[in-house]
Amino acid sequence: SYNSQMWRQDSAGNWLIGQDVGFGLGWKILAGAITPIWSGSQIAYYLYVDSTGAEYRLDHVTSGYLWTSTMGTYVTFDTTTYQVHFTDGSFWTMGSISASGEQDAGTAYPTIMEDSNGNQIQISYRVGMGSSSANTSARISLIQDARNAGSYGAYQFSYSTQCSGGQCFDHLSSISNTIGTPENYTFAYAANQALVSPFNSSSYGTWAFLQSVTVTGLGIAHQFQYNGSGEMTQLTTPLGGVMQWAYRTFQYGT
């Protein structure tokens, strides 16, 4: 998923709220995530993000540990087990928590996705910045399911080093599989791209932008273009279709 709402300006100045967690500025590859939002030393609410990138506030707490929402999602986050429960009886165990050096520090991602019959998908993540342990970043390394539960997994994620936001760390370079299905992809980046605020052109260093996603072996790709503030301005589909965007500022009432 991609989110172009990466900038904010208020009385304190300009804020870059977009992140690059290994897939290019503004991009994420995930089943879902939970982020604690703090107010001082207390958690104000948890932010639940689904696979499309839609965000929901889990801000209603019962029994001191069950967090739910009134925003149209019916998930329940149990802070005692760190599990997200769904109405169909399935649940996720949020076993990967981004380390302190990550741009999404504290965000939790599912390592086990289990349905009501006990079937599981297991997801492993790479070591995050500021940690020496696996399952401390948003960067998936392996997905295992019933089709291939061995050490190689059903889907393998490979990475190469790109510098982004003043840090050099792994960025997704390819996805391959061991089960003979078509999901094989190659990722390319525009590295060391200067980034400026859309409000006053203040410099925010250099970042990596996701440039293309290619189906490996077929040579067909989605391609992406951005403006100087990292906001996507054009998508080109494999058959040459084009979608374009323009941006403006908007002043909120509060």
Side-chain angles (χ1 to χ4, degrees):
S1 66
Y2 173 77
N3 187 348
S4 65
Q5 286 195 294
M6 297 185 290
W7 296 94
R8 169 181 161 182
Q9 185 183 56
D10 58 27
S11 59
N14 298 334
W15 301 89
L16 172 61
I17 55 179
Q19 300 173 343
D20 180 358
V21 294
F23 313 110
L25 181 62
W27 286 91
K28 290 186 177 181
I29 291 182
L30 77 172
I34 292 282
T35 302
I37 306 299
W38 294 84
S39 177
S41 60
Q42 302 293 321
I43 292 179
Y45 60 92
Y46 288 91
L47 187 69
Y48 167 65
V49 181
D50 69 17
S51 61
T52 72
E55 300 178 353
Y56 304 90
R57 289 168 59 126
L58 306 182
D59 52 9
H60 283 60
V61 60
T62 57
S63 303
Y65 63 92
L66 297 175
W67 293 76
T68 57
S69 178
T70 60
M71 296 181 65
T73 184
Y74 297 97
V75 304
T76 300
F77 179 50
D78 185 335
T79 57
T80 62
T81 60
Y82 241 65
Q83 291 179 336
V84 175
H85 291 265
F86 301 88
T87 55
D88 63 358
S90 63
F91 66 89
W92 298 348
T93 299
M94 311 300 282
S96 180
I97 301 177
S98 288
S100 59
E102 294 288 319
Q103 294 180 28
D104 61 342
T107 299
Y109 298 91
T111 52
I112 297 176
M113 305 169 71
E114 183 169 328
D115 68 16
S116 57
N117 294 318
N119 302 303
Q120 288 187 349
I121 296 173
Q122 298 181 352
I123 308 174
S124 302
Y125 299 79
R126 294 173 72 90
V127 175
M129 300 183 68
S131 176
S132 59
S133 303
N135 292 331
T136 51
S137 76
R139 296 180 287 282
I140 298 171
S141 59
L142 199 68
I143 298 178
Q144 298 167 290
D145 61 27
R147 295 170 295 176
N148 186 334
S151 59
Y152 292 104
Y155 298 96
Q156 301 172 344
F157 291 64
S158 299
Y159 292 80
S160 60
T161 300
Q162 301 279 347
C163 296
S164 187
Q167 299 175 313
C168 295
F169 56 98
D170 292 342
H171 283 69
L172 182 64
S173 58
S174 66
I175 299 174
S176 59
N177 71 76
T178 59
I179 53 178
T181 59
E183 298 90 14
N184 297 275
Y185 305 100
T186 303
F187 297 77
Y189 299 86
N192 300 314
Q193 299 297 298
L195 189 70
V196 298
S197 163
F199 304 113
N200 58 9
S201 298
S202 297
S203 175
Y204 280 76
T206 58
W207 293 71
F209 297 162
L210 179 62
Q211 195 169 40
S212 64
V213 179
T214 304
V215 180
T216 308
L218 295 182
I220 59 174
H222 288 81
Q223 301 178 60
F224 313 101
Q225 296 180 24
Y226 308 83
N227 63 21
S229 299
E231 299 159 324
M232 190 192 302
T233 56
Q234 180 170 307
L235 157 70
T236 304
T237 69
L239 295 179
V242 170
M243 292 183 66
Q244 296 178 321
W245 293 265
Y247 297 86
R248 66 177 180 92
T249 59
F250 182 83
Q251 184 170 344
Y252 287 96
T254 59

